[in-house]
Amino acid sequence: MSTKVDAIKADEINKTKKRSQSADVWKRLKKSKAAMIGLLIIVIFVCMAVFAPLIADYDTEVIKMNIPERLQPPSSEHFFGTNEFGRDIFYSIVYGTRISLFVGVISVGIALSIGGFLGAIAGYYGGKLDNAIMRVLDVLLAIPAILLAITIVSALGSSIINLMIAVGISNIPGFARVVRAAILSVKDQEYIEAAKAIGAKDHTIILKHVLPNSMAPIIVYATLKVATAIMATASLSFIGLGVQPPTPEWGSMLASGRQYMRDQMYIVLFPGLAIVLAVLSLNLIGDGLRDALDPKLK
Amino acid sequence: MSESLLKIEDLVIHFETDDGTVEAVNGINMQIDKGRTLGLVGETGAGKTTTALSLLKLVASPPGVIKFGRIELDGVDVMETSEKDMEKLRGNIVSMIFQDPMTALNPVITVGDQIAEAIMIHQKVSTQEAEEKAKEMLEIVGIPGGRSGEYPHQFSGGMKQRVVIAIALSCSPKLLIADEPTTALDVTIQAQVLELMKELKIKYQMAMLLITHDLGVVAEVCDDVAIMYAGRIVEQGSLHEIFKSTKHPYTEGLFNSIPNIEDRRAELKPIRGLMSDPYNLPKGCTFCDRCDYAMAICQTEKPKRIDFSDTHFTECHLYSKDKDFKIEMCKKED
Amino acid sequence: MSKYILRRLLMMIPVLLGVTFLVYFIISLTPGDVAANILGVGATQEAIIELTEEMGLNDPVIVQYGRYMGDLVTGDMGTSYATGRTVSSEIGQRFPNTFKLTVSAIFLSVLISIPIGVVSATRQYSIFDNVGMVIALIGISMPSFWTGLILIIAFSLKLGWFPSGGIDGFSSWILPAFTLAIASTASITRTTRSSMLEVIRQDYINTAKAKGVSRKVVIRKHALKNALIPAITVIGLEFGVLLGGAVLTETVFSIPGIGRLMVESIQRKDTPMVLGCIIIFAMAFSLVNLLIDMLYAYIDPRIKSNYS
């Protein structure tokens, strides 16, 4: 019996363990009705985003002004009514989904990679490096996240890319902290010492042992942060930074529709509901994930 | 009969959870007389802690349900006692100390206050008098009274356990329930805490229910022993009877699991298998799968109680036909 | 204890310095000619050059920053490009409004959320708990500016109970304060509940019960104090979110506060004003966090002894 065969066997056992671990988590997640509802809602949103062109033609329905049909209440022709330029609100929301989800996910991706990297090396190496990184992050944390994002966008100019950068940067310290905490909790476990004892290199240890075991809180955090990123996008667009009309975005739709809200309530009701549903669904999933990944329960 | 401080009759406790019903305690009978110490021995999951909590009516409910049984504490029927009246008994007539001293004390309240609290609830004294008494209690358990203003995190594990004992004894209870009081401590500290408990037992003339899985501790402190397995008491007797004329195969297994200092080369003889799934207990004897003496009847019928003396009984099919049957370890004794 | 406070105050200084540097640097990236914007359309080239020179805008950013900091220490935050008044006077005028708004919002939040969180935890799985948690979940998912608009439609435009904006009189503060409070209330309730649930499972709660302590006292004296520790941290964080939210709420309800000032200044490219607003927000946030830390140390003796 050569050690190579044993190693292959061990590898396979590990792989099946990982597979059954994710299957296990999925099973537990399914138990939560709330999380499943959240999942359903977000899947609907994703479909809307992906299949938007199939639902409505961008130029004719969303961008083109249609003054004769302006300020129409919801009807069979215009499900959510039309806004002050005659644009169909429902189709605008559908296309707005693209922006919200896109900016939400990308900005969290930026925050996760940069913040996560900083947090990982700070947590793993500790000492002066840790101190230095945390001091810098303290500065970022002293400014409320939205205000930081507002500052960045106001300096860089309103565009989707700048939105992603701004929201992404404002989330970096949060991710750094979460990743750092997760690494710290795993770092001193004995299996890490064991890996070091057999001479594994640092980056191997981090990638193969530390990160997989600390993933749980990071995944939950990332999910919840996509939710706040969507809110931030809408908020920034609402105050005029970020996406500009006629590009449909849920927040800017609220801003421009505001003056008509007295008599045409639907103008502000539906885009807002879209924001609420998207954020709510992600919060439900995040909560469900937190319970499903918690080793203490069962 | 008036001597008995604690009397449990046919106690049955279930935990009704989403995943099924756990039959935690399945009909046990127990009696502790004044000033006697009963050791309740068993593995984790045998139902010992649940039994203890039920004496104070502290079983978490939901999901715990006391389905059947009678508990008589110092003449009082616990089942019929209201929550308010139970509060008068707890810490006063009967006290309980829990397993892990590291988490048993409230981190944001001083140790002195935690002791004084018990005193002020049950005795009509002023705050000052209670604080004085608290300092005295600390001294009794071997901690300088001046430290009563300190917080739990400022004490070591062993000292924390002493504080827990001080709290439990502050109102001179008639019965002390100690749930694995030394399990979480170092061996040397274990010895100290046991010594302390023995002293206080005599000083306060207390009866004690000592829950443990360590037979060594039992030998040190207990007068009587009850062996618990899967929610039933499978053997009970005086210390001498249990140690010298062991009857139940499980008890034998426990003794065999202790390494033999005298014969260093002897193999350890662990009990094979694991305890049955509490969600799904077997029809016959619950120890059947792990028993070296198992017979056909063990699979299908629950064993009945066989008495060997006023104090010694066991539940095992081995003795229903032949009371003089001897298990392996007792054969050597002859 | 006072040593701890002193230490934390000292630690605040480099952080705030860092904030000013960071924000100054970011804002310096704003495109566009400052002098040209101030003088407006139709300004001559010479006038623009002259003003640029006068304002020291040709110097490297570091030097400009140094000058700014020098002025800042004396309390001079520069002059608004838009109104010509000093930044500090504009901010000073608006500060009380933002202060009233955020303080009443956080006060409201804490008042509502802690009791609800505690009751939810002690009656876990009850109808109160389930309904409460659903409401809380929806609460954290509602963007404050939308909530504000909806509340205005319902209570102001349709029912006419409250004014839809401005700051005349007490009733005009009610809707804005509630709007701002909703998200933080929901968040603090959830944290209090989960923290309480964790505490209730602790061994020392059993020890207290075994002593004969009554249920109410167990909750109040033994559980609550421990459960508040993480809740207080969240309250501090929520205050930061509130400050950001104030920007939106002030816009929706037309409240002349620092948040709205900041938004308008951004639109008018009035950089000194934007800078001033951010710095004030950062200082306020840092002070609140300091207070929270002090409260933390006061409640949790383990922290106190670490710093004594």
Side-chain angles (χ1 to χ4, degrees):
Chain A
M1 278 293 136
S2 64
T3 42
K4 202 169 177 208
V5 180
D6 290 332
I8 296 176
K9 276 214 187 106
D11 214 32
E12 272 182 29
I13 295 178
N14 272 335
K15 286 212 189 92
T16 21
K17 263 210 322 210
K18 267 211 185 72
R19 232 183 294 134
S20 60
Q21 256 179 359
S22 349
D24 210 21
V25 171
W26 174 238
K27 211 173 87 170
R28 283 164 67 174
L29 189 64
K30 272 200 287 189
K31 273 192 186 175
S32 160
K33 272 185 250 151
M36 286 298 108
I37 295 178
L39 200 56
L40 180 66
I41 298 178
I42 205 69
V43 164
I44 294 179
F45 274 114
V46 170
C47 289
M48 278 208 286
V50 168
F51 297 118
L54 294 178
I55 300 177
D57 182 59
Y58 191 59
D59 293 309
T60 49
E61 302 282 0
V62 176
I63 299 291
K64 184 154 163 254
M65 285 206 265
N66 194 354
I67 301 296
E69 290 204 25
R70 72 192 292 259
L71 298 176
Q72 298 276 347
S75 63
S76 52
E77 212 198 298
H78 299 285
F79 300 143
F80 292 160
T82 59
N83 71 1
E84 68 274 20
F85 294 117
R87 299 178 179 130
D88 185 300
I89 294 179
F90 176 66
Y91 295 139
S92 300
I93 290 181
V94 169
Y95 272 91
T97 313
R98 295 184 143 188
I99 298 178
S100 295
L101 290 181
F102 194 55
V103 176
V105 172
I106 303 277
S107 58
V108 167
I110 295 176
L112 178 57
S113 24
I114 302 180
F117 172 71
L118 289 173
I121 56 176
Y124 189 72
Y125 291 108
K128 291 214 177 95
L129 181 61
D130 184 13
N131 254 327
I133 294 182
M134 291 322 280
R135 292 299 131 247
V136 170
L137 291 177
D138 276 346
V139 171
L140 279 173
L141 282 166
I143 310 173
I146 283 274
L147 298 177
L148 183 57
I150 292 179
T151 315
I152 298 177
V153 177
S154 69
L156 297 178
S158 306
S159 78
I160 292 193
I161 299 203
N162 290 336
L163 259 184
M164 290 193 281
I165 296 177
V167 176
I169 292 182
S170 64
N171 275 317
I172 285 180
F175 273 97
R177 268 197 176 172
V178 170
V179 173
R180 175 177 178 272
I183 301 263
L184 282 178
S185 73
V186 166
K187 182 173 84 144
D188 293 322
Q189 301 278 358
E190 283 171 340
Y191 53 85
I192 301 295
E193 260 193 70
K196 283 192 198 159
I198 61 170
K201 293 228 171 60
D202 276 346
H203 62 84
T204 316
I205 296 183
I206 295 185
L207 287 173
K208 235 180 117 179
H209 295 282
V210 177
L211 279 180
N213 283 293
S214 47
M215 278 317 251
I218 300 176
I219 293 178
V220 175
Y221 189 73
T223 309
L224 298 171
K225 280 300 151 186
V226 174
T228 55
I230 294 179
M231 273 241 250
T233 309
S235 308
L236 288 167
S237 305
F238 179 73
I239 52 179
L241 302 165
V243 180
Q244 304 292 332
T247 316
E249 201 281 334
W250 299 337
S252 60
M253 284 167 74
L254 285 173
S256 54
R258 193 175 150 195
Q259 28 182 329
Y260 303 95
M261 69 182 187
R262 163 174 235 137
D263 298 313
Q264 278 84 27
M265 197 181 95
Y266 49 88
I267 282 194
V268 295
L269 183 65
F270 293 112
L273 278 179
I275 303 176
V276 175
L277 277 174
V279 173
L280 181 64
S281 64
L282 285 165
N283 277 323
L284 286 171
I285 298 175
D287 271 2
L289 274 175
R290 185 191 288 131
D291 289 337
L293 287 166
D294 185 352
K296 276 183 266 169
L297 304 173
K298 200 174 235 153
Chain B
M1 265 308 149
S2 58
E3 271 204 7
S4 85
L5 193 52
L6 171 70
K7 211 160 171 244
I8 303 180
E9 280 168 19
D10 299 321
L11 184 62
V12 176
I13 305 178
H14 288 180
F15 285 94
E16 286 159 5
T17 71
D18 289 333
D19 296 312
T21 304
V22 180
E23 295 169 23
V25 178
N26 298 312
I28 62 168
N29 295 283
M30 192 191 288
Q31 183 173 327
I32 303 180
D33 296 332
K34 285 202 181 96
R36 303 279 291 179
T37 301
L38 174 68
L40 187 56
V41 180
E43 294 164 63
T44 318
K48 317 187 296 283
T49 306
T50 311
T51 308
L53 286 173
S54 69
L55 300 181
L56 292 171
K57 241 180 164 175
L58 280 180
V59 176
S61 169
V65 179
I66 300 186
K67 292 219 87 93
F68 193 81
R70 192 166 186 276
I71 301 176
E72 200 186 278
L73 198 52
D74 199 24
V76 173
D77 185 340
V78 168
M79 297 304 162
E80 299 296 317
T81 311
S82 69
E83 180 64 16
K84 234 175 142 215
D85 290 327
M86 279 309 296
E87 285 167 11
K88 298 207 186 99
L89 292 178
R90 294 176 195 142
N92 195 11
I93 304 291
V94 53
S95 281
M96 184 159 173
I97 59 183
F98 298 88
Q99 183 169 332
D100 189 357
M102 303 306 278
T103 53
L105 294 170
N106 193 324
V108 299
I109 305 181
T110 62
V111 304
D113 280 344
Q114 294 192 51
I115 303 174
E117 183 181 27
I119 300 172
M120 292 213 281
I121 293 177
H122 300 293
Q123 295 172 1
K124 292 202 183 332
V125 291
S126 70
T127 318
Q128 206 150 350
E129 288 173 316
E131 283 172 14
E132 280 308 309
K133 182 92 195 289
K135 288 195 185 140
E136 278 173 38
M137 287 308 301
L138 282 175
E139 297 278 353
I140 290 178
V141 297
I143 297 176
R147 294 190 73 178
S148 69
E150 292 182 25
Y151 290 91
H153 67 273
Q154 296 170 277
F155 294 87
S156 69
M159 295 183 95
K160 282 200 191 78
Q161 192 64 306
R162 290 165 188 262
V163 173
V164 170
I165 294 174
I167 296 176
L169 297 178
S170 56
C171 298
S172 312
K174 294 185 183 166
L175 171 67
L176 174 68
I177 306 174
D179 190 353
E180 310 224 28
T182 54
T183 305
L185 302 170
D186 294 335
V187 182
T188 44
I189 309 292
Q190 264 191 36
Q192 282 176 14
V193 172
L194 282 177
E195 268 311 305
L196 178 64
M197 286 175 73
K198 271 161 65 175
E199 261 175 52
L200 295 173
K201 184 177 80 141
I202 297 175
K203 178 174 168 142
Y204 284 91
Q205 303 241 314
M206 265 183 333
M208 194 154 68
L209 174 63
L210 180 64
I211 300 175
T212 180
H213 59 258
D214 188 337
L215 287 164
V217 170
V218 169
E220 273 285 313
V221 190
C222 300
D223 303 312
D224 307 298
V225 188
I227 313 282
M228 198 161 174
Y229 186 80
R232 283 197 73 83
I233 295 185
V234 297
E235 184 172 358
Q236 182 171 325
S238 71
L239 187 63
H240 189 266
E241 284 165 340
I242 296 291
F243 272 68
K244 289 295 172 191
S245 64
T246 320
K247 296 294 178 197
H248 198 280
Y250 177 58
T251 320
E252 179 186 48
L254 288 177
F255 279 113
N256 284 336
S257 303
I258 305 173
N260 186 349
I261 290 189
E262 276 147 37
D263 185 356
R264 299 289 295 277
R265 265 178 287 139
E267 270 185 31
L268 281 177
K269 204 172 177 294
I271 309 175
R272 59 187 159 87
L274 293 167
M275 205 184 280
S276 350
D277 179 6
Y279 287 94
N280 200 359
L281 289 177
K283 220 174 57 143
C285 173
T286 48
F287 189 61
C288 186
D289 298 333
R290 311 172 73 185
C291 184
D292 285 338
Y293 304 86
M295 309 177 289
I297 190 177
C298 302
Q299 298 244 15
T300 50
E301 262 186 55
K302 294 223 179 292
K304 298 198 194 24
R305 169 172 164 158
I306 317 265
D307 288 273
F308 298 94
S309 74
D310 271 348
T311 47
H312 193 186
F313 73 82
T314 191
E315 286 182 357
C316 183
H317 288 299
L318 285 173
Y319 303 94
S320 39
K321 298 231 181 75
D322 176 14
K323 249 193 179 178
D324 292 317
F325 180 84
K326 287 217 182 333
I327 49 178
E328 279 305 311
M329 69 183 277
C330 286
K331 285 193 183 147
K332 295 186 216 129
E333 295 297 314
D334 277 339
Chain C
M1 198 37 186
S2 38
K3 236 180 165 184
Y4 178 64
I5 301 178
L6 203 61
R7 263 188 69 175
R8 294 282 284 107
L9 272 169
L10 285 175
M11 271 162 56
M12 249 176 77
I13 297 179
V15 171
L16 286 175
L17 270 172
V19 169
T20 53
F21 182 72
L22 178 69
V23 179
Y24 196 87
F25 176 68
I26 294 179
I27 294 199
S28 68
L29 296 172
T30 313
D33 193 317
V34 174
N37 280 333
I38 294 181
L39 294 174
V41 187
T44 62
Q45 209 37 22
E46 297 130 6
I48 294 179
I49 296 177
E50 203 187 309
L51 187 55
T52 308
E53 197 52 55
E54 211 183 286
M55 290 176 73
L57 293 167
N58 283 326
D59 297 325
V61 183
I62 294 286
V63 175
Q64 293 188 49
Y65 172 66
R67 230 182 285 138
Y68 181 78
M69 287 309 289
D71 289 337
L72 187 62
V73 173
T74 57
D76 175 12
M77 288 199 268
T79 320
S80 160
Y81 290 170
T83 65
R85 299 176 52 199
T86 60
V87 169
S88 33
S89 62
E90 294 274 14
I91 291 185
Q93 203 177 42
R94 317 253 186 150
F95 181 79
N97 295 326
T98 306
F99 183 80
K100 274 189 225 172
L101 185 60
T102 44
V103 167
S104 44
I106 200 79
F107 207 63
L108 214 58
S109 299
V110 172
L111 219 61
I112 298 177
S113 58
I114 305 244
I116 295 188
V118 170
V119 174
S120 270
T122 53
R123 295 194 202 297
Q124 199 183 11
Y125 306 129
S126 66
I127 300 210
F128 181 88
D129 183 29
N130 286 329
V131 169
M133 284 309 106
V134 168
I135 295 180
L137 205 49
I138 298 179
I140 58 175
S141 308
M142 297 199 295
S144 57
F145 53 94
W146 181 72
T147 319
L149 291 176
I150 299 290
L151 286 181
I152 289 179
I153 294 178
F155 293 103
S156 180
L157 300 175
K158 300 279 184 213
L159 289 172
W161 288 355
F162 303 104
S164 64
I167 47 168
D168 306 305
F170 182 71
S171 60
S172 58
W173 290 99
I174 305 244
L175 284 184
F178 263 100
T179 305
L180 200 50
I182 286 183
S184 50
T185 305
S187 170
I188 299 173
T189 307
R190 272 158 55 96
T191 307
T192 306
R193 175 186 179 269
S194 66
S195 151
M196 200 58 184
L197 282 176
E198 269 230 31
V199 166
I200 289 183
R201 297 192 204 306
Q202 295 299 318
D203 283 343
Y204 53 81
I205 297 294
N206 263 345
T207 306
K209 284 195 208 161
K211 274 196 279 193
V213 181
S214 72
R215 199 161 175 268
K216 271 203 213 122
V217 177
V218 166
I219 301 289
R220 187 175 36 86
K221 184 171 162 195
H222 289 264
L224 190 55
K225 214 172 167 201
N226 280 287
L228 280 179
I229 296 172
I232 286 179
T233 316
V234 170
I235 294 176
L237 287 174
E238 282 302 318
F239 188 77
V241 175
L242 269 183
L243 287 176
V247 170
L248 299 162
T249 310
E250 286 174 16
T251 307
V252 167
F253 287 95
S254 311
I255 293 179
I258 304 182
R260 194 149 152 248
L261 179 62
M262 192 171 137
V263 172
E264 289 166 356
S265 308
I266 289 175
Q267 286 159 354
R268 296 189 291 215
K269 300 213 175 296
D270 188 355
T271 3
M273 198 67 86
V274 180
L275 202 46
C277 290
I278 291 268
I279 291 176
I280 292 292
F281 274 126
M283 268 175 58
F285 191 37
S286 301
L287 270 167
V288 168
N289 277 326
L290 178 61
L291 280 167
I292 296 278
D293 277 348
M294 276 163 51
L295 198 56
Y296 211 83
Y298 176 70
I299 291 190
D300 191 345
R302 294 168 283 193
I303 310 264
K304 234 195 280 186
S305 51
N306 272 338
Y307 285 100
S308 55

